[in-house]
Amino acid sequence: MKLQFNKNIAFLLLGLTVVTQACNKSFTDLVPQGTTTDANYWKTETDAIFAANGLYEHFSDDNMFGRGLFWYVNASDDMVTGRTDAGSAAVRNFTATGAESRVNSMYKKFYQIIQRANTILDRVPAMDIAESTKQRVLGEAYFMRGYAYFYLAQYYGDQRAGIPIVTEENMLETEFVRPAHVSENFTQIEADLLRAAEMLPLLTAYGPEDLGRANRDAAYAYLAKTNLQWARYDASKWSQVVRYCDMVTNSGSGRRLIDTDKPEEDFASVFYIENNYSTEYIFSVVSNKIRGSILPAVLFENTGYGLYNGWGYFHPTLELYNAFEEGDHRKKATILEFGDEFTLFGQDRRYYSSNSQTGFQFKKYMQPFRFPQEQHLNPNGDYPTSDLNVPLVRYAEILLMKAEALIMQGQNGDAEINLVRNRAGLPPIQGATMTELKRERRSEFAAEYTDRHSDLVRWGDAQAAYAKPATGRAHVTKTDPASTYSVVEVWPARRFNPSVHHVWPIPPQDVSNAGIAQNEGW
């Protein structure tokens, strides 16, 4: 049965409660309560597919990939908080407790994904349904469990303690502990993703109705991302990063950069609606005008010049602007500065902002705003979703992860870096070092969930980067695109303690409910 996963995800996500009642008042005390479904469920192929659809419900959650996890990305030197907000400021200043409304729900919501996956892995194997459907649904469950644990491990686990491991085998237990080391989480994530890769089809095997589901390339990609994080603790994992990146490249799905030798357009087009499922796509937040990610509007001018309800958060810093090389076409595709020409709702205009703290706006996700509002935007400006999917991992990251892993093993990563540079209109380099690699990642992934803050932490660069204030441009006349400006400090230097702030605090409610220890120092 075709459920029109991609086209009708809005309606699927509204009806998932039948398979999501296994949690008590807070899932992250990790004790399921009652039955998962009524006695008549888990009978048909439709039941299994519908349960799998529930694994993606968080795509439409503002506090997940709408802007929730972006509060962590916002800790980097690439951006500052665009509006006065004590909770988000505490996160950015590393003074948060984890109880802040901006960040206190993500931990439990990742465990809700895990709970749904565990229920599928417990119930679906015994179902009398088509084997092909069974394998795909189980593959989706293994993938989404590994995916959820990846983010939990990246944000909350370290060499002092991992995060609780709950699977279909122990999900009925009443007590859980934190593993002694986050490597135990990475081991479990790797096992889940390898199982997923065995069961899932290539994304090119999906019909239009199923685009957006977990796929084999996505499993390989998250295996590479997992080992990239793992290599902080075990240098032997660099070779695994290379291995899994090559598995994406050689999978047969034709993953490659969008590169038509038009650098002034190619990078920008990665973030066009028509390229939601291009050759560069690996895994994204599926979105449409009714349900999905609000991130593009979150980055848009506050109140949208009176035309649409932009939210005006997350403004690029002058430091990010200056980090791009001369001639890098990614700069104009990523950042709007005063005087830049752009199209808004069918009208050509020049950029200015009375909202931006820095004199800049992120442009990367602006394509839906080029057209008449009814074409690609939610008519409800209080929930401003669009038809643009927000990438979580794309092929450029595969190339740059492989390049980094090769460089860290004393090998040459020029071929991979230069593919990315060529698309941006930059000349090739020889003998690329980690300095060049870091610059490429920053230029390529600004304002993406690839997460520069996490990069700076794992490289050991965060303390020095955050000891410098963030700056921007203060324009004399904020409504004049040609206004002169002066450079000003927009966020003071911050104190980053690498022995504490390399992880985030687990929300206190979840610490209490689960009876686990908080991350040290928070």
Side-chain angles (χ1 to χ4, degrees), residues 12-171:
L12 294 174
L13 297 182
L14 291 173
L16 296 171
T17 54
V18 71
V19 294
T20 59
Q21 303 301 318
C23 316
N24 66 4
K25 58 185 173 68
S26 174
F27 171 75
T28 50
D29 71 1
L30 306 177
V31 183
Q33 300 290 313
T35 59
T36 305
T37 67
D38 61 48
N40 294 322
Y41 204 72
W42 305 109
K43 302 293 186 183
T44 69
E45 189 168 296
T46 299
D47 293 343
I49 294 172
F50 199 69
N53 292 341
L55 297 168
Y56 306 88
E57 184 186 14
H58 66 287
F59 282 174
S60 64
D61 192 324
D62 294 359
N63 290 318
M64 292 291 276
F65 291 104
R67 59 174 172 167
L69 288 168
F70 224 76
W71 299 116
Y72 290 163
V73 181
N74 182 55
S76 81
D77 54 353
D78 277 358
M79 64 191 78
V80 296
T81 308
R83 295 164 63 180
T84 301
D85 184 284
S88 61
V91 175
R92 193 167 196 279
N93 289 332
F94 309 110
T95 60
T97 66
E100 292 78 10
S101 61
R102 298 301 191 191
V103 295
N104 68 6
S105 64
M106 297 177 293
Y107 181 88
K108 64 176 61 69
K109 287 178 179 181
F110 276 119
Y111 271 108
Q112 288 170 355
I113 297 170
I114 291 164
Q115 171 70 348
R116 294 176 184 187
N118 286 340
T119 303
I120 289 170
L121 294 173
D122 180 64
R123 303 300 293 271
V124 169
M127 294 180 70
D128 184 17
I129 59 176
E131 189 62 25
S132 59
T133 300
K134 180 181 292 189
Q135 289 293 302
R136 194 197 74 194
V137 167
L138 291 173
E140 289 179 273
Y142 279 117
F143 173 84
M144 294 303 291
R145 188 170 74 180
Y147 155 99
Y149 273 123
F150 167 79
Y151 289 104
L152 287 167
Q154 173 177 285
Y155 291 126
Y156 303 107
D158 64 10
Q159 75 283 358
R160 301 169 300 186
I163 44 97
I165 297 174
V166 188
T167 70
E168 74 278 18
E169 296 177 349
N170 67 342
M171 65 180 183

Side-chain angles (χ1 to χ4, degrees), residues 241-242 245 397-409 411-418 432 434 437:
V241 175
V242 174
C245 287
E397 188 177 2
I398 299 301
L399 292 171
L400 292 182
M401 284 194 293
K402 181 179 178 181
E404 180 175 351
L406 290 170
I407 292 169
M408 290 299 293
Q409 295 177 91
Q411 301 173 41
N412 189 292
D414 291 357
E416 289 74 22
I417 288 178
N418 285 331
M434 280 297 295
L437 183 282

Side-chain angles (χ1 to χ4, degrees), residues 452-463:
R452 174 163 169 82
H453 171 69
S454 179
D455 279 349
L456 290 171
V457 169
R458 67 184 179 82
W459 290 329
D461 293 344
Q463 185 175 26

Side-chain angles (χ1 to χ4, degrees), residues 321 324 328-337 340 363:
Y321 178 88
F324 288 90
D328 189 339
H329 286 275
R330 292 174 295 196
K331 187 175 189 174
K332 286 294 185 184
T334 301
I335 298 175
L336 280 173
E337 62 178 307
D340 278 355
K363 185 183 181 183

